[in-house]
Amino acid sequence: MKIDPDGRTIQGVTTLILFVVLNVLYLVTCVPLVTIGAATSSLLEVTTRYADHERGDLVRGYLAAFRRNFARGTAVYLALLVPCAMLMFAGVFWLSMAGIPTAVLGLLCLVGAVYLATALACGLGIVGTHTAPIRQTLRSAVLLPLAEPVRAGVLLLIPVAGGLLLYAWPASVVLAATIGCSVAAYGAAFVLRSMTTRAAAGSDGRDAISPHSGQ
């Protein structure tokens, strides 16, 4: 039986394997924890490019993106994660106290933590899809949830839903370890691509951010 290497079935299997390799590579580069920002932004970069008419090499593109995004992705990740974690801790602390004022304060802290978590998701997406200084990237990340609340919420909901699935169905860890992260990033790529259009345009030359040109 002759196998056509250009056939849809072969291409589908090849793409599946590439997504599995990409998923494993992503998880490995997340192991130091502090590199999660660089790894996530790089995963979003290659999946966004692939979502755009299947351009670029997933695996080699990821390795190149990880090196390119390491400093900026790590800086944005830590700059938004640390205050987000502090607000989350403060919210839980104040809610554990009795009284209406502390409950209100706790809820405000949790709302702030959710907003910063959304900004973090946006920030890592910007790092992976656009070129801009760290300060400018952080500014765009903080403003994007206000400009695009629905899309930004969806961008945050994707990893949250994955985490809830792992909690409710521990066996899904096999799915997450093989293809779950890369497929989730591919889905997020479509949201991110339309969402960052305004950020790329900017209000003027100083605030505009430019799309990645690297392959």
Side-chain angles (χ1 to χ4, degrees):
M1 181 178 64
K2 184 178 180 180
I3 298 178
D4 182 7
D6 296 323
R8 289 187 176 182
T9 301
I10 298 300
Q11 289 181 346
V13 172
T14 301
T15 300
L16 177 63
I17 294 173
L18 287 175
F19 267 85
V20 171
V21 174
L22 178 63
N23 196 92
V24 174
L25 190 59
Y26 167 72
L27 293 176
V28 169
T29 50
C30 281
V31 170
L33 297 184
V34 73
T35 60
I36 290 177
T40 302
S41 61
S42 302
L43 181 65
L44 289 171
E45 176 178 337
V46 294
T47 51
T48 299
R49 189 178 300 128
Y50 192 80
D52 184 14
H53 306 296
E54 300 185 358
R55 296 188 300 114
D57 185 292
L58 287 173
V59 176
R60 287 184 295 181
Y62 177 84
L63 294 174
F66 186 78
R67 292 191 295 269
R68 180 170 56 249
N69 298 332
F70 185 84
R72 196 159 60 104
T74 302
V76 171
Y77 173 68
L78 294 178
L80 292 172
L81 178 67
V82 171
C84 177
M86 292 175 65
L87 283 174
M88 183 68 70
F89 176 82
V92 173
F93 173 78
W94 288 117
L95 286 175
S96 67
M97 308 287 286
I100 295 179
T102 55
V104 172
L105 184 58
L107 288 175
L108 289 176
C109 288
L110 290 181
V111 169
V114 171
Y115 187 87
L116 285 180
T118 307
L120 174 59
C122 295
L124 295 180
I126 294 173
V127 170
T129 57
H130 294 80
T131 301
I134 293 174
R135 182 177 179 181
Q136 198 171 327
T137 301
L138 287 171
R139 181 179 183 276
S140 298
V142 172
L143 293 178
L144 262 179
L146 294 176
E148 298 283 347
V150 176
R151 290 184 177 90
V154 172
L155 202 61
L156 177 65
L157 184 61
I158 291 174
V160 170
L164 291 176
L165 178 62
L166 285 173
Y167 178 79
W169 184 34
S172 63
V173 68
V174 177
L175 181 65
T178 53
I179 200 171
C181 297
S182 56
V183 170
Y186 182 68
F190 292 94
V191 179
L192 185 63
R193 187 172 56 180
S194 60
M195 179 180 153
T196 55
T197 301
R198 293 185 183 182
S203 58
D204 52 42
R206 181 185 60 188
D207 294 331
I209 56 178
S210 303
H212 266 314
S213 58
Q215 295 296 324

PDB file of all heavy atoms in Angstrom, residues 194-213:
ATOM      1  N   SER A 194      -6.964  38.555  17.969  1.00  0.00           N
ATOM      2  CA  SER A 194      -7.927  39.632  17.762  1.00  0.00           C
ATOM      3  C   SER A 194      -7.871  40.662  18.887  1.00  0.00           C
ATOM      4  O   SER A 194      -8.122  41.847  18.669  1.00  0.00           O
ATOM      5  CB  SER A 194      -9.349  39.048  17.685  1.00  0.00           C
ATOM      6  OG  SER A 194      -9.677  38.377  18.892  1.00  0.00           O
ATOM      7  N   MET A 195      -7.484  40.215  20.059  1.00  0.00           N
ATOM      8  CA  MET A 195      -7.494  41.075  21.232  1.00  0.00           C
ATOM      9  C   MET A 195      -6.363  42.094  21.239  1.00  0.00           C
ATOM     10  O   MET A 195      -6.516  43.227  21.709  1.00  0.00           O
ATOM     11  CB  MET A 195      -7.399  40.176  22.475  1.00  0.00           C
ATOM     12  CG  MET A 195      -7.383  40.888  23.781  1.00  0.00           C
ATOM     13  SD  MET A 195      -7.254  39.626  25.048  1.00  0.00           S
ATOM     14  CE  MET A 195      -6.455  40.584  26.290  1.00  0.00           C
ATOM     15  N   THR A 196      -5.211  41.724  20.722  1.00  0.00           N
ATOM     16  CA  THR A 196      -4.049  42.610  20.779  1.00  0.00           C
ATOM     17  C   THR A 196      -3.943  43.550  19.587  1.00  0.00           C
ATOM     18  O   THR A 196      -2.966  44.276  19.458  1.00  0.00           O
ATOM     19  CB  THR A 196      -2.750  41.782  20.873  1.00  0.00           C
ATOM     20  OG1 THR A 196      -2.711  40.861  19.772  1.00  0.00           O
ATOM     21  CG2 THR A 196      -2.679  41.021  22.172  1.00  0.00           C
ATOM     22  N   THR A 197      -4.957  43.551  18.738  1.00  0.00           N
ATOM     23  CA  THR A 197      -4.927  44.436  17.579  1.00  0.00           C
ATOM     24  C   THR A 197      -4.873  45.898  18.009  1.00  0.00           C
ATOM     25  O   THR A 197      -4.097  46.696  17.482  1.00  0.00           O
ATOM     26  CB  THR A 197      -6.162  44.205  16.689  1.00  0.00           C
ATOM     27  OG1 THR A 197      -6.169  42.857  16.266  1.00  0.00           O
ATOM     28  CG2 THR A 197      -6.135  45.124  15.488  1.00  0.00           C
ATOM     29  N   ARG A 198      -5.683  46.252  18.993  1.00  0.00           N
ATOM     30  CA  ARG A 198      -5.683  47.634  19.479  1.00  0.00           C
ATOM     31  C   ARG A 198      -4.355  47.991  20.130  1.00  0.00           C
ATOM     32  O   ARG A 198      -3.850  49.098  19.980  1.00  0.00           O
ATOM     33  CB  ARG A 198      -6.804  47.839  20.490  1.00  0.00           C
ATOM     34  CG  ARG A 198      -8.202  47.735  19.892  1.00  0.00           C
ATOM     35  CD  ARG A 198      -9.241  48.070  20.931  1.00  0.00           C
ATOM     36  NE  ARG A 198     -10.594  47.911  20.411  1.00  0.00           N
ATOM     37  CZ  ARG A 198     -11.689  48.181  21.101  1.00  0.00           C
ATOM     38  NH1 ARG A 198     -11.585  48.640  22.336  1.00  0.00           N
ATOM     39  NH2 ARG A 198     -12.885  48.011  20.566  1.00  0.00           N
ATOM     40  N   ALA A 199      -3.803  47.025  20.876  1.00  0.00           N
ATOM     41  CA  ALA A 199      -2.526  47.297  21.539  1.00  0.00           C
ATOM     42  C   ALA A 199      -1.426  47.514  20.517  1.00  0.00           C
ATOM     43  O   ALA A 199      -0.521  48.325  20.709  1.00  0.00           O
ATOM     44  CB  ALA A 199      -2.160  46.142  22.465  1.00  0.00           C
ATOM     45  N   ALA A 200      -1.493  46.769  19.414  1.00  0.00           N
ATOM     46  CA  ALA A 200      -0.480  46.918  18.380  1.00  0.00           C
ATOM     47  C   ALA A 200      -0.591  48.273  17.696  1.00  0.00           C
ATOM     48  O   ALA A 200       0.403  48.872  17.299  1.00  0.00           O
ATOM     49  CB  ALA A 200      -0.617  45.803  17.347  1.00  0.00           C
ATOM     50  N   ALA A 201      -1.829  48.761  17.557  1.00  0.00           N
ATOM     51  CA  ALA A 201      -2.027  50.058  16.924  1.00  0.00           C
ATOM     52  C   ALA A 201      -1.570  51.192  17.832  1.00  0.00           C
ATOM     53  O   ALA A 201      -0.877  52.111  17.418  1.00  0.00           O
ATOM     54  CB  ALA A 201      -3.502  50.232  16.554  1.00  0.00           C
ATOM     55  N   GLY A 202      -1.965  51.120  19.112  1.00  0.00           N
ATOM     56  CA  GLY A 202      -1.556  52.144  20.072  1.00  0.00           C
ATOM     57  C   GLY A 202      -2.253  53.461  19.811  1.00  0.00           C
ATOM     58  O   GLY A 202      -2.874  53.695  18.785  1.00  0.00           O
ATOM     59  N   SER A 203      -2.160  54.357  20.767  1.00  0.00           N
ATOM     60  CA  SER A 203      -2.771  55.674  20.624  1.00  0.00           C
ATOM     61  C   SER A 203      -1.857  56.648  19.917  1.00  0.00           C
ATOM     62  O   SER A 203      -2.288  57.628  19.354  1.00  0.00           O
ATOM     63  CB  SER A 203      -3.132  56.228  22.012  1.00  0.00           C
ATOM     64  OG  SER A 203      -1.977  56.303  22.829  1.00  0.00           O
ATOM     65  N   ASP A 204      -0.527  56.392  19.953  1.00  0.00           N
ATOM     66  CA  ASP A 204       0.421  57.211  19.221  1.00  0.00           C
ATOM     67  C   ASP A 204       1.691  56.413  19.027  1.00  0.00           C
ATOM     68  O   ASP A 204       1.775  55.258  19.407  1.00  0.00           O
ATOM     69  CB  ASP A 204       0.731  58.523  19.959  1.00  0.00           C
ATOM     70  CG  ASP A 204       1.145  58.278  21.415  1.00  0.00           C
ATOM     71  OD1 ASP A 204       1.917  57.327  21.662  1.00  0.00           O
ATOM     72  OD2 ASP A 204       0.707  59.041  22.304  1.00  0.00           O
ATOM     73  N   GLY A 205       2.698  57.009  18.424  1.00  0.00           N
ATOM     74  CA  GLY A 205       3.938  56.294  18.141  1.00  0.00           C
ATOM     75  C   GLY A 205       4.641  55.804  19.380  1.00  0.00           C
ATOM     76  O   GLY A 205       5.294  54.785  19.388  1.00  0.00           O
ATOM     77  N   ARG A 206       4.488  56.537  20.504  1.00  0.00           N
ATOM     78  CA  ARG A 206       5.177  56.149  21.726  1.00  0.00           C
ATOM     79  C   ARG A 206       4.548  54.925  22.354  1.00  0.00           C
ATOM     80  O   ARG A 206       5.219  54.077  22.938  1.00  0.00           O
ATOM     81  CB  ARG A 206       5.116  57.315  22.717  1.00  0.00           C
ATOM     82  CG  ARG A 206       5.820  57.035  24.037  1.00  0.00           C
ATOM     83  CD  ARG A 206       5.608  58.197  25.004  1.00  0.00           C
ATOM     84  NE  ARG A 206       4.182  58.384  25.248  1.00  0.00           N
ATOM     85  CZ  ARG A 206       3.680  59.424  25.923  1.00  0.00           C
ATOM     86  NH1 ARG A 206       4.480  60.386  26.351  1.00  0.00           N
ATOM     87  NH2 ARG A 206       2.383  59.535  26.118  1.00  0.00           N
ATOM     88  N   ASP A 207       3.211  54.797  22.261  1.00  0.00           N
ATOM     89  CA  ASP A 207       2.517  53.715  22.941  1.00  0.00           C
ATOM     90  C   ASP A 207       2.338  52.476  22.076  1.00  0.00           C
ATOM     91  O   ASP A 207       1.945  51.429  22.567  1.00  0.00           O
ATOM     92  CB  ASP A 207       1.132  54.186  23.398  1.00  0.00           C
ATOM     93  CG  ASP A 207       1.245  55.273  24.474  1.00  0.00           C
ATOM     94  OD1 ASP A 207       2.242  55.242  25.196  1.00  0.00           O
ATOM     95  OD2 ASP A 207       0.349  56.139  24.566  1.00  0.00           O
ATOM     96  N   ALA A 208       2.574  52.609  20.770  1.00  0.00           N
ATOM     97  CA  ALA A 208       2.314  51.468  19.886  1.00  0.00           C
ATOM     98  C   ALA A 208       3.314  50.357  20.124  1.00  0.00           C
ATOM     99  O   ALA A 208       4.461  50.605  20.472  1.00  0.00           O
ATOM    100  CB  ALA A 208       2.375  51.911  18.423  1.00  0.00           C
ATOM    101  N   ILE A 209       2.871  49.115  19.959  1.00  0.00           N
ATOM    102  CA  ILE A 209       3.767  47.969  20.040  1.00  0.00           C
ATOM    103  C   ILE A 209       3.723  47.251  18.706  1.00  0.00           C
ATOM    104  O   ILE A 209       2.699  47.214  18.041  1.00  0.00           O
ATOM    105  CB  ILE A 209       3.393  47.020  21.199  1.00  0.00           C
ATOM    106  CG1 ILE A 209       1.942  46.551  21.061  1.00  0.00           C
ATOM    107  CG2 ILE A 209       3.618  47.687  22.517  1.00  0.00           C
ATOM    108  CD1 ILE A 209       1.549  45.579  22.134  1.00  0.00           C
ATOM    109  N   SER A 210       4.838  46.669  18.319  1.00  0.00           N
ATOM    110  CA  SER A 210       4.956  46.066  16.991  1.00  0.00           C
ATOM    111  C   SER A 210       4.875  44.554  17.077  1.00  0.00           C
ATOM    112  O   SER A 210       5.402  43.947  18.007  1.00  0.00           O
ATOM    113  CB  SER A 210       6.290  46.472  16.355  1.00  0.00           C
ATOM    114  OG  SER A 210       6.392  47.872  16.294  1.00  0.00           O
ATOM    115  N   PRO A 211       4.214  43.922  16.095  1.00  0.00           N
ATOM    116  CA  PRO A 211       4.146  42.457  16.068  1.00  0.00           C
ATOM    117  C   PRO A 211       5.533  41.850  15.916  1.00  0.00           C
ATOM    118  O   PRO A 211       6.428  42.450  15.337  1.00  0.00           O
ATOM    119  CB  PRO A 211       3.274  42.177  14.841  1.00  0.00           C
ATOM    120  CG  PRO A 211       2.545  43.450  14.576  1.00  0.00           C
ATOM    121  CD  PRO A 211       3.465  44.542  15.001  1.00  0.00           C
ATOM    122  N   HIS A 212       5.679  40.615  16.441  1.00  0.00           N
ATOM    123  CA  HIS A 212       6.919  39.875  16.266  1.00  0.00           C
ATOM    124  C   HIS A 212       7.160  39.625  14.789  1.00  0.00           C
ATOM    125  O   HIS A 212       6.256  39.268  14.047  1.00  0.00           O
ATOM    126  CB  HIS A 212       6.844  38.523  16.976  1.00  0.00           C
ATOM    127  CG  HIS A 212       7.414  38.552  18.363  1.00  0.00           C
ATOM    128  ND1 HIS A 212       8.610  39.147  18.664  1.00  0.00           N
ATOM    129  CD2 HIS A 212       6.944  38.044  19.528  1.00  0.00           C
ATOM    130  CE1 HIS A 212       8.855  39.001  19.958  1.00  0.00           C
ATOM    131  NE2 HIS A 212       7.860  38.342  20.499  1.00  0.00           N
ATOM    132  N   SER A 213       8.382  39.763  14.382  1.00  0.00           N
ATOM    133  CA  SER A 213       8.724  39.408  13.009  1.00  0.00           C
ATOM    134  C   SER A 213       9.540  38.130  12.932  1.00  0.00           C
ATOM    135  O   SER A 213       9.785  37.593  11.877  1.00  0.00           O
ATOM    136  CB  SER A 213       9.547  40.542  12.362  1.00  0.00           C
ATOM    137  OG  SER A 213      10.729  40.789  13.114  1.00  0.00           O
TER     138      SER A 213
END
